[in-house]
Amino acid sequence: MSTATVIAAGGVVWREHRGERQVLLVHRPRYDDWSLPKGKLVAGEHVLAAARREIEEETGQRVILGPPLGVQRYDVRKNGASVPKLVHYWSAPVDGKSREFTPNDEVDELDWLGADEARDRLSYPRDVDILDLLDCTAEVTSSLVVVRHAEAVKRKDWDGKDTDRPLTGDGQATAERLVAVLAALGVDRVLSSDAERCAATVAPYAEAIGKKVNLHPEISERGYEAHPKAMRGLGDKAWRKGKVTAICSHRPVLPALARELGLPVGKYAPGAFVVAHRLAGGGIVHERFGAP
């Protein structure tokens, strides 16, 4: 993408109301249109955190991000020139912790509508295309976030036990930035290797939600090397129905862990992660992200 590309994020906000799925549309007085809630990223913000923040700012609704619903690409005017815009969307069910909506210059009206009414109301066909993908992904039974630990002190620079090797300053900053990302995904269980660098990567988030980090030696480098089959069965524990579980491990262990969890095997940079959702209709939807 060009450095001039405008990056934005949002979602299809939805709820179950009297046996019907309703979606939330916003009216923007500046354009006199009805659209899906979205907004631009601020400097240094992760796209997942931005999607949740923008939805709450525009609608007052606190959401949990589910499966991705695709992207939109189109041109907008900026400083008198035409520049490309890229908008990411996710399924965004409300989590019941909403605040009262206050009309403002950006959004002056909201409306909860059934899917058919929403399709008729939306001003742009591209938004209808995004909405149409919701039916395929709305029913999620459980979710996983698989994380490689953030940047750690190099082995050659550490005199103590490898298990005790800590994060660098940059690694600690990544761990802090993960808090908003994991919150956007609604993570409510935190699992980790028992190595310090893994536990420290997810500890800030666990502390933020008042949970403990559940340590699993079998997904540490030392534990995996000693007993490579010990993680068998972890997939059944990790994919817990109705839960969103974060799991932090090491680069050499992650390929075997991915296979155990039923996820594609791939490379992870420090602090990178994969988000996966198991759907009620069968199958898994996943997407990969770099470190925040």
Side-chain angles (χ1 to χ4, degrees):
M1 292 180 297
S2 164
T3 55
T5 299
V6 176
I7 309 297
V12 178
V13 180
W14 62 274
R15 68 182 183 184
E16 296 291 342
H17 183 69
R18 297 178 180 177
E20 178 190 30
R21 182 177 299 137
Q22 295 182 327
V23 298
L24 185 61
L25 305 187
V26 300
H27 181 262
R28 302 183 300 174
R30 179 181 178 184
Y31 305 102
D32 190 22
D33 62 9
W34 286 93
S35 64
L36 303 171
K38 64 181 181 297
K40 292 181 289 187
L41 278 63
V42 299
E45 188 176 31
H46 194 276
V47 66
L48 290 167
R52 190 191 202 203
R53 175 187 57 76
E54 282 290 343
I55 288 170
E56 184 170 5
E57 288 181 358
E58 289 199 351
T59 70
Q61 301 292 319
R62 178 62 64 92
V63 300
I64 292 173
L65 300 183
L69 298 178
V71 299
Q72 295 175 351
R73 294 178 175 87
Y74 52 93
D75 291 338
V76 295
R77 301 296 295 178
K78 184 178 180 182
N79 299 326
S82 179
V83 298
K85 184 172 184 177
L86 178 67
V87 189
H88 300 258
Y89 288 95
W90 285 269
S91 168
V94 297
D95 74 356
K97 300 176 182 177
S98 302
R99 57 180 172 79
E100 185 177 352
F101 169 70
T102 302
N104 55 72
D105 291 341
E106 291 191 15
V107 176
D108 64 349
E109 189 177 354
L110 307 176
D111 207 353
W112 285 103
L113 300 169
D116 290 339
E117 291 180 280
R119 290 184 184 94
D120 292 338
R121 182 78 64 86
L122 283 167
S123 300
Y124 307 105
R126 61 177 180 258
D127 284 350
V128 177
D129 293 340
I130 296 293
L131 174 59
D132 285 343
L133 293 173
L134 181 65
D135 286 342
C136 304
T137 61
E139 299 300 327
V140 173
T141 60
S142 56
S143 301
L144 292 178
V145 185
V146 182
V147 188
R148 179 184 170 186
H149 67 74
E151 182 181 85
V153 172
K154 296 184 182 300
R155 296 179 200 271
K156 65 182 179 63
D157 297 329
W158 180 250
D159 294 330
K161 291 182 178 180
D162 185 67
T163 303
D164 297 332
R165 186 154 51 93
L167 298 178
T168 63
D170 286 345
Q172 293 170 1
T174 296
E176 293 294 339
R177 289 192 290 267
L178 273 170
V179 173
V181 174
L182 298 180
L185 296 166
V187 169
D188 50 12
R189 295 174 69 219
V190 184
L191 281 57
S192 172
S193 153
D194 61 350
E196 167 63 21
R197 55 193 179 277
C198 285
T201 297
V202 289
Y205 179 74
E207 182 178 357
I209 64 170
K211 301 279 188 176
K212 68 176 183 178
V213 178
N214 297 287
L215 301 179
H216 288 259
E218 70 271 24
I219 60 172
S220 70
E221 287 191 67
R222 179 188 58 186
Y224 176 65
E225 290 171 359
H227 304 286
K229 296 181 180 179
M231 71 171 68
R232 289 184 178 176
L234 182 61
D236 293 335
K237 297 177 183 177
W239 286 108
R240 183 175 295 181
K241 187 174 182 179
K243 295 291 185 179
V244 183
T245 303
I247 307 176
C248 187
S249 187
H250 310 254
R251 179 186 57 79
V253 183
L254 284 168
L257 179 59
R259 286 190 289 269
E260 174 63 28
L261 299 173
L263 301 177
V265 176
K267 295 181 179 180
Y268 292 71
F273 58 98
V274 166
V275 183
H277 305 278
R278 180 172 281 176
L279 305 179
I284 294 172
V285 176
H286 76 279
E287 52 184 340
R288 187 180 297 271
F289 296 94

